[in-house]
Amino acid sequence: MNRYRAPFGPDDVQILERESPFRGFFRLDRLRLRHRLFAGGWSRELTRELFVRNEAAGVLPWDPVRDEVLLIEQFRAGALDYRDTPWCLEIIAGIADKAGESLADMICREAQEEAGITLTQLRPLPSYLVSPGGSNERMTLFFAMADLANAGGLHGAAEEGEDIRVHRVPMADIPALLETGVLDNAPCLIALQWLLLNHDALRREQGVGV
C-alpha cells in the first residue's frame, strides 16, 4: 500500500513565518510557507490561516443488554447557518486540555460530566483530521460498554456553559436517523456506522446473541 503514501514529509515544507493574530479559547495562526511539488521544484509562497486547538476525543457508549446507544443533545453555534435547529445530536466528546491526562481518561471523565455514566471496555476506533485544509484538529474516537438502565436527564458543567440532554437510542432506530440526516456531524456518523458494521460480532462477543 506504500504507493498511496505521499512522497513528501515535514522537511518538504518551508515555514517562512508563523504568527498568532488571535489567542483565546482557540488560537488562529497565520503561516507563510511553500512546499515541494509533485512535478518537482517548490510552490510559490502561500499564506494559510490555521485554526489551532488541542486534540479532541469522542466516545459512543453501547449497552449490549438493552441494545441501546447513548447520544447527547446540545446547542452548537456552528450549526446556526446550516440546520433548521442548532441543537445537535452527538456522541460524548471533549478536548484534551488537562496536563498528563490521557485521551481515554479524559473521555471517561467527560462521560460522567456529560451523561452521568461509567464506561467500561473502552476500545479505540479510527482517529482522523477534522478539517486539514484549515485546522490542525485531530479527533480520536472510542467505543465503550455502559449500563444505560438509568441514563437520561440533563447534564453538563454549568461553569462551562454546558446544557446537555441525554438520549437512549435503540439500535433499531439508528438506520432511520442516519437516513434522515438528523445525525450530521462526523464523530457521530463514523462511530455509529462502525457500530452497525460490527454489531453482530459485538453481540456475540458480549454473549447476547444475534
Side-chain angles (χ1 to χ4, degrees):
M1 301 298 286
N2 284 341
R3 65 193 179 102
Y4 296 111
R5 294 184 63 85
F8 307 129
D11 291 340
D12 298 302
V13 180
Q14 293 180 347
I15 306 295
L16 306 174
E17 183 183 31
R18 184 168 190 154
E19 57 178 346
S20 301
F22 175 80
R23 289 176 178 267
F25 185 69
F26 304 117
R27 192 178 91 219
L28 181 68
D29 284 3
R30 182 178 294 118
L31 286 73
R32 289 195 304 111
L33 58 83
R34 59 187 198 139
H35 60 80
R36 291 195 183 275
L37 299 171
F38 291 119
W42 290 84
S43 71
R44 62 179 177 83
E45 182 181 310
L46 305 170
T47 299
R48 293 288 182 266
E49 281 78 34
L50 188 66
F51 182 70
V52 180
R53 67 182 298 181
N54 291 345
E55 194 168 4
V59 64
L60 177 66
W62 175 59
D63 185 327
V65 175
R66 294 163 185 81
D67 205 15
E68 296 174 337
V69 298
L70 184 141
L71 299 179
I72 61 173
E73 182 182 14
Q74 59 185 319
F75 170 78
R76 292 302 198 189
L80 279 167
D81 295 335
Y82 295 101
R83 306 172 92 247
D84 59 355
T85 172
W87 275 261
C88 299
L89 279 173
E90 306 173 340
I91 62 173
I92 295 165
I95 299 173
D97 55 6
K98 294 185 183 298
E101 185 178 48
S102 70
L103 290 178
D105 287 343
M106 181 270 286
I107 210 63
C108 287
R109 174 174 55 80
E110 291 288 348
Q112 283 284 347
E113 293 177 4
E114 296 189 351
I117 62 169
T118 300
L119 303 178
T120 62
Q121 300 184 47
L122 203 66
R123 67 178 75 187
L125 301 185
S127 64
Y128 63 95
L129 292 170
V130 174
S131 184
S135 175
N136 75 335
E137 182 182 1
R138 175 173 285 278
M139 170 68 79
T140 295
L141 298 179
F142 292 92
F143 177 76
M145 306 297 163
D147 182 352
L148 301 182
N150 299 311
L154 305 179
H155 298 269
E159 66 275 12
E160 297 177 15
E162 292 182 335
D163 179 44
I164 295 170
R165 181 164 65 157
V166 167
H167 295 268
R168 286 164 48 184
V169 182
M171 280 296 299
D173 291 352
I174 290 175
L177 284 173
L178 290 170
E179 243 180 72
T180 59
V182 172
L183 306 174
D184 60 355
N185 59 86
C188 202
L189 289 170
I190 293 169
L192 286 172
Q193 288 174 346
W194 181 90
L195 177 54
L196 287 174
L197 286 171
N198 293 276
H199 185 229
D200 287 350
L202 286 165
R203 295 197 72 197
R204 285 192 295 269
E205 179 185 299
Q206 295 300 312
V208 291
V210 293

